[in-house]
Amino acid sequence: MSASDELTLEERGPTALDDVRSWIAAGNSAELAAWLRASDAADVIYTAAQLTDQEREGLLSTLRPDQAADLFELLPEPQRIEALQSMEPGDAAAIVHELASDDQADIISEVENAEEILAALDPEEAAVIRGLADYEWNTAGGLMIAEFFAFPKDLRVGEIVSRLQDAADNGDDYDVQYVYVVDDDSKLAGVLRLRDLLLSPRGRPAEALMLRDPHSVHVDDTLEQLVAFFNDHGFFGAPVLDDEGRLLGVVRASAVREATTERSDSDYSKSQGIVGGEELRSMPLRIRCTRRLSWLSLNIVLNVAAASIIALHQETLEAVIALAVFLPIISDMSGCSGNQAVAVSMRELSLNVARPRDWLRVWRKESLVGIINGLALGLLIGVVAILWQGSPALGVVVGGALALNTVVAVSIGGVVPLLLKGLKLDPALASGPILTTVTDMCGFLLVLSFASYAMDYLR
Amino acid sequence: MSASDELTLEERGPTALDDVRSWIAAGNSAELAAWLRASDAADVIYTAAQLTDQEREGLLSTLRPDQAADLFELLPEPQRIEALQSMEPGDAAAIVHELASDDQADIISEVENAEEILAALDPEEAAVIRGLADYEWNTAGGLMIAEFFAFPKDLRVGEIVSRLQDAADNGDDYDVQYVYVVDDDSKLAGVLRLRDLLLSPRGRPAEALMLRDPHSVHVDDTLEQLVAFFNDHGFFGAPVLDDEGRLLGVVRASAVREATTERSDSDYSKSQGIVGGEELRSMPLRIRCTRRLSWLSLNIVLNVAAASIIALHQETLEAVIALAVFLPIISDMSGCSGNQAVAVSMRELSLNVARPRDWLRVWRKESLVGIINGLALGLLIGVVAILWQGSPALGVVVGGALALNTVVAVSIGGVVPLLLKGLKLDPALASGPILTTVTDMCGFLLVLSFASYAMDYLR
């Protein structure tokens, strides 16, 4: 056994990367395909991420379209968009052709050169993609696929099985779980499960075998409704109907779960100030800096506004300089306490156990938490102030201000996401800046006005 | 049409809640079951969340166990745990019996009265649950189900189909997608797809029909590896093998996707200081306060440590009181800039495009962003300082400190999650406090020591 065989995949990473780079440069599609087949998907993703945009594009263009599509589906979205935009429209279209229709619609609605790619596709396929791309991504329409089997009511089991077989022979293998039965107006009449087809005489008509009034979703149903639907039913997919009950597509439970993960990830990123979609370090520096700055610039304006409260009370600060030590602590701790309440509200909204109209109940519940934790934190910081400066008055001023401001921060933090959601604004993006601005202003005001009242005892 | 018919479900909510409450009080299982059948899952979740713990327990105990289990699966985890813990072990066991084995193992490893519930179950079922509960939740073992069909190699299609039929008649309907073929040592030999059974002569043996060397996962595979596996293959499930290749269970793609969402949600909550698992406002006040306080107490200690830098420079502050206005701004803005870099690193780690050993590359990339954004933010705050106090020196001191501290915050923010991950610590939980403590200390130190050097120009 040679030394290199004893290395783990992790340790062999850099070597694999150099190999992949040289194969791309040489246009060696056979070696690249062999590497893809032999590698763990996690390592493929990691290696592809180390490549430059040009190399990644070269990798996709060198592979056979079906192999390129398999790799393409593994890449994070920003890398997929970048690659399609810089490829020849014909090469891009060849990859898009291999994707499932929901993925086709997603990527086409994101890339700048959508029209060129659609023009390079079969017109019928392009029309289907255009139709799907019109729906909002977080609705049943945006998440559904257009690939499904629907047969008339009077077709017999034997014929259905043989058509499925033909489709499989043609490569139209839709990971089929359900087969739908429609009437003459393409309205959904029933559903056939594969196991029913398996266990039934071949001469029976679909109508006799199908489950009638199957569960279905409406094309406008939201992600929250779909999550609840699949939690409730445990199906692999559901037929998507329009207002007239016509069958438009199939939404897969897996697509709904992926969209949920995407939303959670994006809520997390947005709450930390990553706006305008996902950021990867492979993206151009200019885009990364300007996107982050757009959020930071708003924040600095809000920060200056909040700090102006301090500027208005400079004489108090001058008299008791020790207060300056506690201003950042009060600002930061109130932000922490408030953000905990924001996180719980975000979670309750996404779990559907709280709705915007519950703001008063949430406000009452959070106020209680705020009072208890405010007392605890106020006591703590008050004791620190007394021990440090030997001034009981300083302890009371600083501790009292933090206690009160914690109540404000926690109750506002709990309510703000509900109100934003009720106003159809994005709570993940806006809750943080609103919260910290209000709590900073209020906190500075509390500590400095308490201090000016207690000035005789502080000096 | 009466007035109440015109109301949307949302608006009828409170009425439904009162009805549900009175049916629970009266033990009216028929009305409760009818309400469950007629309601949207999203509304059931919302209504159940408005009930008290006792009412929710009453609702579950009143329903037939299979109906109770359907409702149980819709509830958020803290409500599930609370309900099982306060029910009679027999009632709890009846609900647990209805769950899939992975959900059984999850809930049993969370509740305090696990032993009582297991004792009330069939010993064989309890043994399976105990076995599954031993695996880490975020590995293939922890995510797999023990319900699967495995048949010997020489069994014929006709016999397999009839055994599947028998199992379906017995209610052992495992949402079966694949049927496994094992050799005499229960080692996995191959897989049969339902469609293969559908399209094959009934006399053929499994061995002739099965796909050999099927893709499988190892029982210790991590969530990241499973995500990549299912992204790569698009299967609905994969067989889980031990070191000897024996078939232990089946991990479903849906379970992997749910676990991913769970991890994203929990990363978001933890980054905002919600530690020790999920918090819902239906939980007892005592638990909610103490959990949040545990995080806040650590933070206040770190905050005091950072603020001690200010205390050490009081004479500088006393000389130039305007600096006190900018200390909270520098602390907050550096935190914002650093948290953006933390969020991008968290995302790259979970997408598997960055690994701990990439810290140096990340540090270089983030330093660049930090320099550009630091210059922009430093310029902004410097101009504000000059306009406000008419002192160019103050602008240089404050702007220079923020610019430099932004570089520190952004580069540390990018690297800290990778280092924590490399040390097998939880980056979601620990990155924030580490980041803000370092950036606060460094920021205060920068602005106050710049000021003391420039004192002649500032006064």
Side-chain angles (χ1 to χ4, degrees), chain B residues 33-288:
Chain B
W35 164 71
L36 281 177
R37 260 196 314 278
S39 303
D40 205 60
D43 287 308
V44 170
I45 296 169
Y46 180 68
T47 306
Q50 315 307 307
L51 300 173
T52 65
D53 285 345
Q54 288 72 33
E55 287 170 336
R56 218 164 16 245
E57 189 220 312
L59 172 57
L60 289 167
S61 310
T62 307
L63 289 166
R64 229 173 44 211
D66 60 321
Q67 295 166 340
D70 288 346
L71 171 62
F72 186 80
E73 287 173 330
L74 289 176
L75 300 178
E77 184 167 279
Q79 292 178 3
R80 270 183 274 160
I81 294 171
E82 171 59 36
L84 276 204
Q85 288 180 171
S86 49
M87 284 170 91
E88 291 293 315
D91 288 349
I95 291 177
V96 170
H97 172 69
E98 298 285 335
L99 304 176
S101 58
D102 55 344
D103 293 333
Q104 291 179 325
D106 281 352
I107 194 78
I108 283 296
S109 59
E110 293 286 348
V111 294
E112 286 163 11
N113 56 343
E115 284 308 315
E116 286 96 312
I117 296 175
L118 287 170
L121 281 165
D122 171 70
E124 204 174 313
E125 187 171 22
V128 171
I129 299 175
R130 268 183 228 274
L132 289 176
D134 277 348
Y135 296 105
E136 287 290 321
W137 76 272
N138 57 353
T139 64
L143 294 166
M144 74 187 180
I145 50 173
E147 297 92 343
F148 57 86
F149 291 105
F151 298 110
K153 285 175 174 180
D154 52 1
L155 209 65
R156 287 168 199 284
V157 168
E159 177 67 10
I160 292 174
V161 169
S162 109
R163 289 202 197 173
L164 291 176
Q165 173 82 73
D166 288 348
D169 289 346
N170 287 331
D172 293 340
D173 183 350
Y174 299 158
D175 266 333
V176 56
Q177 298 303 317
Y178 306 99
V179 171
Y180 298 100
V181 182
V182 289
D183 66 16
D184 300 337
D185 308 328
S186 43
K187 285 187 191 159
L188 181 66
V191 63
L192 295 169
R193 291 176 305 174
L194 275 197
R195 73 193 79 164
D196 299 326
L197 289 174
L198 185 72
L199 304 167
S200 295
R202 302 171 69 86
R204 296 189 74 189
E207 192 169 14
L209 198 68
M210 69 187 189
L211 305 176
R212 278 158 204 282
D213 297 321
H215 290 284
S216 65
V217 299
H218 186 269
V219 66
D220 292 332
D221 278 358
T222 62
L223 185 54
E224 287 82 3
Q225 289 174 304
L226 295 171
V227 167
F229 177 91
F230 284 110
N231 276 347
D232 200 14
H233 295 299
F235 299 144
F236 290 102
V240 180
L241 308 183
D242 66 11
D243 288 335
E244 278 76 44
R246 280 188 297 256
L247 182 60
L248 300 177
V250 173
V251 61
R252 294 173 295 181
S254 61
V256 171
R257 296 212 173 85
E258 266 165 41
T260 317
T261 307
E262 224 171 86
R263 192 190 50 185
S264 300
D265 287 332
S266 127
D267 277 357
Y268 171 55
S269 293
K270 284 189 285 189
S271 76
Q272 308 289 324
I274 298 297
V275 292
E278 185 156 62
E279 176 182 327
L280 294 181
R281 296 204 171 87
S282 54
M283 287 163 59
L285 184 63
R286 192 181 49 78
I287 294 180
R288 297 176 60 216

Side-chain angles (χ1 to χ4, degrees), chain A residues 428-446:
Chain A
L429 203 52
S431 297
I434 293 178
L435 172 77
T436 50
T437 307
V438 173
T439 56
D440 276 6
M441 289 188 132
C442 182
F444 297 150
L445 198 63
L446 284 170

